[in-house]
Amino acid sequence: MAGNGGRLGPRTDRDTELGAAVARAQDGDEEAFAVVYRLVQPLLLGYVRGLVGDDAEDVTSEAWLEIARDLGRFRGDGPGFRGWAATIARHRALDHLRRQDTRPRARPLDAELLELPGTEDTADRALEALATERALTLIASLPPDQAEAVLLRVVVGLDGVSAARVLGKRAGAVRTAAHRGLKRLARLLS
């Protein structure tokens, strides 16, 4: 999953790369926007899939249209951009669910949607994929508030304050929900 030091590499390296790419994309650099998309899309798609299930690609595409349209208004760094993009994706997901007249609920996520190309050993990647698939299935079994907090904190890699902004809640409430969710996951795994 996308935590610090995980498969995606140290979060600070990715955040530095993301922040620089966002700045260049705001100046009209199309290749930089492609870098932004490559770094953020798997995270957003995983998060949105946890909210809307099979419609995640459509909803995430709508979010990217809004992100591209409003990119010039964004102010911040790499982690700030991830939070801003997650907020937009969440709003599009909630709009989608309202149109369907259903409540948001966590659903199983596809592990391959969260993978980025890497240099890892194939056997290690296969074992990690199995573990990731199981973890995502377990996350989907959590209460919705805990599942969404865990998705934002672990999959998208947001800190408590940023995840709270996305959810429109207090940071303490999000940290508590994520903590309870992770604790419940630990119990399920043991």
Side-chain angles (χ1 to χ4, degrees):
M1 302 238 276
N4 287 344
R7 178 176 73 243
L8 298 179
R11 181 63 65 193
T12 56
D13 291 347
R14 293 281 182 181
D15 287 342
T16 301
E17 180 183 3
L18 177 59
V22 167
R24 290 190 321 272
Q26 287 177 315
D27 289 336
D29 184 335
E30 291 181 21
E31 288 180 26
F33 189 83
V35 170
V36 170
Y37 183 85
R38 180 182 52 82
L39 290 172
V40 177
Q41 170 63 3
L43 308 175
L44 285 185
L45 189 56
Y47 172 56
V48 172
R49 186 166 299 281
L51 298 175
V52 303
D54 293 337
D55 295 332
E57 289 186 25
D58 292 338
V59 172
T60 306
S61 293
E62 290 176 20
W64 277 105
L65 289 172
E66 188 171 336
I67 290 166
R69 183 191 71 209
D70 296 341
L71 184 61
R73 291 189 238 176
F74 171 75
R75 299 289 175 256
D77 57 4
F81 182 82
R82 279 188 290 116
W84 181 71
T87 300
I88 291 170
R90 182 174 194 266
H91 289 159
R92 296 298 63 80
L94 294 176
D95 289 347
H96 175 78
L97 292 169
R98 277 191 283 276
R99 283 191 302 269
Q100 289 188 326
D101 198 31
T102 61
R103 288 179 26 101
R105 59 184 174 271
R107 298 184 186 189
L109 303 171
D110 294 332
E112 68 262 7
L113 296 175
L114 301 176
E115 292 184 31
L116 290 175
T119 58
E120 299 89 8
D121 178 271
T122 303
D124 289 344
R125 288 190 67 203
L127 289 174
E128 184 178 339
L130 290 173
T132 301
E133 183 177 338
R134 178 149 189 250
L136 294 173
T137 300
L138 290 172
I139 290 170
S141 72
L142 295 173
D145 65 321
Q146 291 177 12
E148 193 167 9
V150 169
L151 287 167
L152 284 170
R153 297 289 312 272
V154 178
V155 175
V156 180
L158 299 181
D159 62 22
V161 173
S162 298
R165 265 189 251 124
V166 171
L167 296 174
K169 296 182 177 185
R170 290 187 349 253
V174 172
R175 282 192 292 268
T176 298
H179 176 74
R180 287 180 180 159
L182 290 171
K183 230 171 130 175
R184 182 177 273 180
L185 290 173
R187 281 194 308 270
L188 290 170
L189 289 170
S190 58

